[in-house]
Amino acid sequence: MTSRVNDDMSRKQQRFEHLVNAHSAWLYRYAYWLCGERAAAEDVVQETYLRAWRFLDSLNDEASAKSWLTTILRRENARKYERKQLQIVDQDTDEIPVEPTGFDARPEASALRVAIRQLPPKYREPLVLQVLEGYSLEEIAQMFDLPRNTVATRLHRARQKLKSSLEINGVQRELGA
Amino acid sequence: MNCLEFRQAALADPGHLAEAAQQHVAACRYCERYLAEIRDLDQQVAEELNVAIPEGLAARVLLNQTFQHRRSPGLWLGLAAAASVLVGVLLVLTLDPPALEDDVIAHMEYQAHQVHGTTGDLADDYVKEVLDVVNGVQAGELGKVAYASPCKIDKQLIAHLVVERDGETFSLFVMPQELKYEHQFSTERWRGTIAPHGNGSLAVIANATSSADIASAANYFGKSIQRHTI
């Protein structure tokens, strides 16, 4: 009986470590685009995993672990940082620090990143899920508890805004160049 | 499908076009170029979204979890004591198999003792969320709920609460395991009762040195927590 309890704890720890190693990178990126800053993103990821540990026994299907963690992260972020909106609309875009993912001095890279950050959260969130992780419209709709058409409309508007921002900035990348 | 409808679909999900959209773009070179622009935009967006991960993030997450749930130095001593105590101190009153009782006591000795002394007052919606895991619902006042978490006993999900009431601390396990009759038990560190509760069972546990009236507490908590019939 005691060894069974030991085994249960060991299995739980192994499951948890797998979840961290498999999904912490994605969760951080998603948190970064929700919060807008690195320290806050890591805080949210930490809180997400603490909550996941406490409720790990309720995760029955490992295949849905990423969606489960993503949902926890969204709720943790809403709880902690809902009042701290990323305010850059009124800020001079020249003053916004652009953190490089790699060396990319192209003018359009900075303009696009600013444009992404300026998207309202309700447009930015589904865009991140779809473009970065390949979530389908149906999966995003389920995660957000929204009709599929609403999600489609938000993605449509997100891309329209980004496309317009790039065109306004006079940056066009030649196809095939 | 006309060009406007196609462009709306492309802006919503350029990577997964429905059959009608695919047929349209195959026949319309303007929309074909438009789709290429949108897909190119997505590629640029993906590059921007792909921010660098802080070095050591996974290790810090694991360290934080270990720190939050660090085992007490006395745990191994406690386990050894529990093993010897269990040999001769259980009081079995019915023909129900003692396995559930053993598991409840082992869970207290192994894990639950770390949180039995927790103080605080959790938000109602959090307690509700934990009880919901076992189809439980709070039907009356519990007292101050200092701790609430789902756990597993014998591979089944239970709701584990630590409740402070009338100056006494109780660990409650709301369990799906069925029981026919009430069991009372007493060990060196704990005393408590496990009783049928809805279509499952409810364990109410206090410190062995507590002066709490376990039977009265069990009756009270049994009414304060109800279970939905599955």
Side-chain angles (χ1 to χ4, degrees):
Chain A
M1 161 194 53
T2 302
S3 66
R4 184 169 64 211
V5 174
N6 275 333
D7 289 345
D8 282 348
M9 284 302 291
S10 177
R11 265 194 295 274
K12 184 177 178 180
Q13 186 67 37
Q14 284 176 5
R15 279 184 86 195
F16 183 76
E17 287 176 11
H18 174 74
L19 289 182
V20 173
N21 292 326
H23 303 300
S24 58
W26 148 245
L27 289 177
Y28 174 81
R29 289 192 175 104
Y30 185 50
Y32 176 81
W33 288 105
L34 289 184
C35 306
E37 49 185 33
R38 289 188 174 278
E42 182 159 345
D43 280 347
V44 172
V45 170
Q46 290 281 10
E47 291 298 321
T48 297
Y49 273 110
L50 284 179
R51 191 168 183 85
W53 168 258
R54 297 187 80 174
F55 285 87
L56 188 56
D57 288 342
S58 65
L59 174 63
N60 294 319
D61 178 12
E62 299 300 315
S64 61
K66 188 164 85 170
S67 297
W68 181 69
L69 288 166
T70 304
T71 300
I72 294 174
L73 187 143
R74 292 189 66 239
R75 288 178 187 161
E76 287 300 314
N77 181 64
R79 251 196 285 270
K80 284 180 175 290
Y81 294 104
E82 211 161 28
R83 295 190 185 96
K84 288 171 79 176
Q85 297 282 335
L86 183 63
Q87 299 291 341
I88 63 171
V89 173
D90 296 329
Q91 190 175 351
D92 187 339
T93 55
D94 288 341
E95 295 173 5
I96 298 170
V98 176
E99 296 168 86
T101 59
F103 179 71
D104 190 339
R106 294 171 300 144
E108 62 265 34
S110 301
L112 181 56
R113 181 171 288 209
V114 169
I116 293 170
R117 294 179 87 174
Q118 286 180 331
L119 286 175
K122 67 178 180 181
Y123 296 164
R124 190 171 60 241
E125 274 199 62
L127 186 70
V128 172
L129 289 170
Q130 188 184 64
V131 172
L132 205 53
E133 288 296 309
Y135 279 97
S136 67
L137 287 176
E138 289 74 18
E139 287 170 326
I140 298 171
Q142 191 176 26
M143 205 179 290
F144 286 28
D145 195 22
L146 288 172
R148 184 188 183 280
N149 285 346
T150 302
V151 174
T153 300
R154 292 184 182 185
L155 286 163
H156 167 271
R157 288 179 183 166
R159 287 188 173 90
Q160 258 186 340
K161 282 181 174 286
L162 294 179
K163 199 167 181 294
S164 299
S165 292
L166 287 181
E167 286 165 0
I168 288 169
N169 278 289
V171 176
Q172 295 280 5
R173 200 166 84 169
E174 283 296 320
L175 288 172
Chain B
M1 176 175 278
N2 59 36
C3 290
L4 177 61
E5 289 167 339
F6 173 80
R7 293 185 178 205
Q8 286 173 344
L11 284 169
D13 194 354
H16 302 92
L17 297 176
E19 193 175 335
Q22 290 180 33
Q23 287 174 356
H24 178 89
V25 74
C28 176
R29 69 175 192 272
Y30 299 109
C31 287
E32 183 186 23
R33 180 174 174 85
Y34 186 82
L35 180 62
E37 287 177 6
I38 298 303
R39 285 177 171 169
D40 186 61
L41 172 66
D42 264 21
Q43 194 177 333
Q44 294 179 65
V45 169
E47 289 170 12
E48 293 300 326
L49 294 179
N50 202 27
V51 296
I53 305 301
E55 198 171 321
L57 173 67
R60 284 194 294 281
V61 170
L62 289 170
L63 187 64
N64 192 28
Q65 175 262 331
T66 304
F67 178 76
Q68 296 285 338
H69 296 273
R70 186 187 311 155
R71 294 171 179 178
S72 68
L75 172 67
W76 301 113
L77 291 176
L79 280 174
S84 58
V85 162
L86 279 171
V87 169
V89 203
L90 291 173
L91 300 175
V92 179
L93 302 180
T94 76
L95 294 178
D96 275 326
L100 179 60
E101 199 173 314
D102 292 347
D103 288 344
V104 164
I105 294 168
H107 195 72
M108 285 301 297
E109 293 291 348
Y110 183 82
Q111 183 184 28
H113 75 281
Q114 296 179 19
V115 299
H116 184 73
T118 305
T119 57
D121 197 358
L122 292 178
D124 286 347
D125 60 353
Y126 185 78
V127 176
K128 177 181 181 301
E129 202 174 330
V130 172
L131 285 174
D132 200 47
V133 167
V134 292
N135 294 310
V137 62
Q138 187 175 338
E141 282 296 319
L142 280 172
K144 276 189 185 175
V145 182
Y147 175 87
S149 179
C151 301
K152 272 193 175 171
I153 284 185
D154 194 19
K155 296 178 183 171
Q156 294 197 63
L157 217 53
I158 72 158
H160 175 186
L161 309 180
V162 174
V163 179
E164 204 183 318
R165 181 174 173 264
D166 295 339
E168 298 285 352
T169 300
F170 301 94
S171 282
L172 309 183
F173 297 162
V174 185
M175 304 180 285
Q177 289 90 335
E178 290 182 12
L179 212 60
K180 288 181 191 165
Y181 305 105
E182 181 179 346
H183 297 244
Q184 294 174 6
F185 63 86
S186 176
T187 73
E188 192 172 304
R189 292 177 67 178
W190 313 105
R191 62 191 184 89
T193 178
I194 309 171
H197 182 247
N199 56 353
S201 48
L202 174 68
V204 178
I205 305 148
N207 278 320
T209 55
S210 162
S211 58
D213 182 340
I214 292 289
S216 172
N219 184 48
Y220 179 84
F221 291 123
K223 292 174 184 169
S224 299
I225 299 171
Q226 289 179 3
R227 297 172 62 97
H228 297 299
T229 304
I230 300 170

